[in-house]
Amino acid sequence: AFAARARAIYDRNRAMGEADAVSLGLKWNRRVLYGDIDPWELLLKTALVIDETDNSLLTTGQYLHALQTFESMVAAGITDPAALFAGLYHDVGKLLVLFGEAQENVMCNTHVLAIQPVDPGGTCR
């Protein structure tokens, strides 16, 4: 059952086009979800999120996954604070499901929808 549900979510994710991505960006860009919040409290909220597409985590919350990632990095000898921070917070965007966003718009492995050239001034479009 888990695999079938994950496949359906992935299928909807892969059907997304550039216009869908732009629409989601407009929906969430600059939207304040929690206001002034302690970063640790934000990370703790990821315990409420289950990535229904991750067949290795299954029903493990994203908080435990973040701690596993962090511990794996430490065990591998990574000491750079920015890298360790990224290990803890890499999935914090998945909190959007708590605000009603569909799994297919938040979960799944990312893929490039389109690449636009960089203008001569160096600004990405």
Side-chain angles (χ1 to χ4, degrees):
F2 186 93
R5 181 173 172 81
R7 173 57 31 214
I9 293 168
Y10 260 99
D11 289 345
R12 291 190 304 272
N13 173 269
R14 294 304 184 246
M16 181 186 296
E18 188 174 359
D20 300 309
V22 169
S23 177
L24 284 168
L26 292 172
K27 178 180 178 180
W28 294 107
N29 190 23
R30 299 184 184 159
R31 187 160 170 201
V32 177
L33 302 175
Y34 286 109
D36 190 20
I37 187 170
D38 180 89
W40 189 252
E41 185 179 345
L42 186 66
L43 185 64
L44 289 173
K45 289 187 181 302
T46 63
L48 302 172
V49 177
I50 304 294
D51 182 341
E52 296 178 20
T53 66
D54 193 323
N55 63 2
S56 64
L57 294 176
L58 299 175
T59 59
T60 301
Q62 292 300 296
Y63 176 70
L64 182 56
H65 168 59
L67 295 179
Q68 291 170 332
T69 302
F70 179 84
E71 288 297 325
S72 294
M73 293 171 75
V74 170
I78 297 170
T79 59
D80 177 55
L84 294 171
F85 178 88
L88 283 171
Y89 285 85
H90 73 279
D91 280 335
V92 76
K94 292 180 178 182
L95 287 170
L96 290 178
V97 299
L98 300 179
F99 294 90
E101 192 55 65
Q103 286 265 332
E104 60 267 22
N105 295 334
V106 180
M107 307 302 176
C108 305
N109 294 322
T110 56
H111 63 281
V112 176
L113 294 172
I115 298 175
Q116 296 188 11
V118 175
D119 70 27
T123 305
C124 224
R125 286 186 234 144

